[in-house]
Amino acid sequence: MTDQRPIKSPREIAPLVLPAWTYRNAELNELEYEALFRPSWQFACHVNQVKNVGDFVTLDLLRDSILVLRGKDNELRAFMNVCRHRGAKLLDGAGTCKARVTCPYHGWSYNLRGELAGMPAEKTFPGADKKQLGLRPVELEILCGLVFVRVVPGGPSLKEMWKDYIHLLEPYRLEEMVPLEEPW
């Protein structure tokens, strides 16, 4: 039997909440981001938001920006949304790229598989190995039509984590849904 008595004083509530200083503490926020957010699955979009070749959405997760992109092979991939040359953000929001993602800063471009496709003034980068300079991949998993990403790889998949509950979602046919307006 549980204790059903009402809480009588703020002192009884205090053990249930974090102290106010924790919500604005930079060191604690950084620790939480590194230990909790980056290694956890984050919702990025619905598959129907990126259903055509070249369609993309971006997810800004504090200091990390993630790009979810549909390739010419119809595969959905996720990358860090940052140019490998000078670290400029590549894309914002959602939209469609025809054949390449081009950096707005110095014009480096990447194909829809995330491989470095072009470097202006390539001769000024002697010895640059284009195969090593593609976009950095991010883990991606689709669960019931919902696209999730994880910056720090490892740990259980969503299917493993939700294995006992996926059957409860199946009747809703989430993967068939189409967003009516821009998600926020």
Side-chain angles (χ1 to χ4, degrees):
M1 180 112 183
T2 60
D3 186 3
Q4 298 294 319
R5 65 187 178 94
I7 295 175
K8 296 181 182 176
S9 73
R11 285 198 171 121
E12 289 180 296
I13 295 172
L16 305 175
V17 298
L18 294 172
W21 68 266
T22 62
Y23 295 97
R24 292 195 176 157
N25 182 278
E27 188 177 344
L28 188 58
N29 287 340
E30 179 63 23
L31 180 63
E32 180 181 51
Y33 183 66
E34 288 298 324
L36 183 66
F37 286 94
R38 293 185 91 227
S40 299
W41 290 106
Q42 305 295 324
F43 174 70
C45 64
H46 189 279
V47 290
N48 285 323
Q49 291 174 261
V50 284
K51 62 183 175 180
N52 299 312
V53 171
D55 285 354
F56 72 88
V57 297
T58 60
L59 171 65
D60 290 326
L61 185 64
L62 294 177
R63 70 172 178 274
D64 291 314
S65 184
I66 299 154
L67 169 64
V68 175
L69 179 66
R70 175 84 57 188
K72 287 184 178 180
D73 58 0
N74 213 31
E75 286 294 315
L76 206 53
R77 295 176 177 87
F79 305 101
M80 296 304 291
N81 185 23
V82 61
C83 181
R84 294 292 302 274
H85 177 226
R86 294 283 183 186
K89 189 174 185 181
L90 296 168
L91 296 167
D92 280 307
T96 302
C97 295
K98 295 212 184 264
R100 290 185 178 187
V101 175
T102 302
C103 177
Y105 190 50
H106 281 128
W108 282 35
S109 62
Y110 303 87
N111 65 28
L112 301 182
R113 288 185 311 276
E115 301 162 335
L116 181 61
M119 304 163 55
E122 191 170 336
K123 292 177 184 172
T124 63
F125 297 95
D129 184 358
K130 287 171 112 177
K131 291 181 182 180
Q132 298 298 317
L133 294 172
L135 298 176
R136 289 200 171 112
V138 171
E139 270 190 307
L140 179 143
E141 187 172 346
I142 300 169
L143 183 70
C144 299
L146 306 174
V147 179
F148 292 85
V149 293
R150 179 165 55 185
V151 177
V152 176
S157 71
L158 285 169
K159 287 178 179 74
E160 290 173 69
M161 292 168 62
W162 287 86
K163 69 181 176 218
D164 295 335
Y165 305 101
I166 292 174
H167 71 280
L168 298 172
L169 296 173
E170 288 172 352
Y172 296 98
R173 301 185 341 237
L174 295 175
E175 62 279 348
E176 297 173 27
M177 293 185 173
V178 178
L180 293 178
E181 47 186 62
E182 191 65 30
W184 51 274

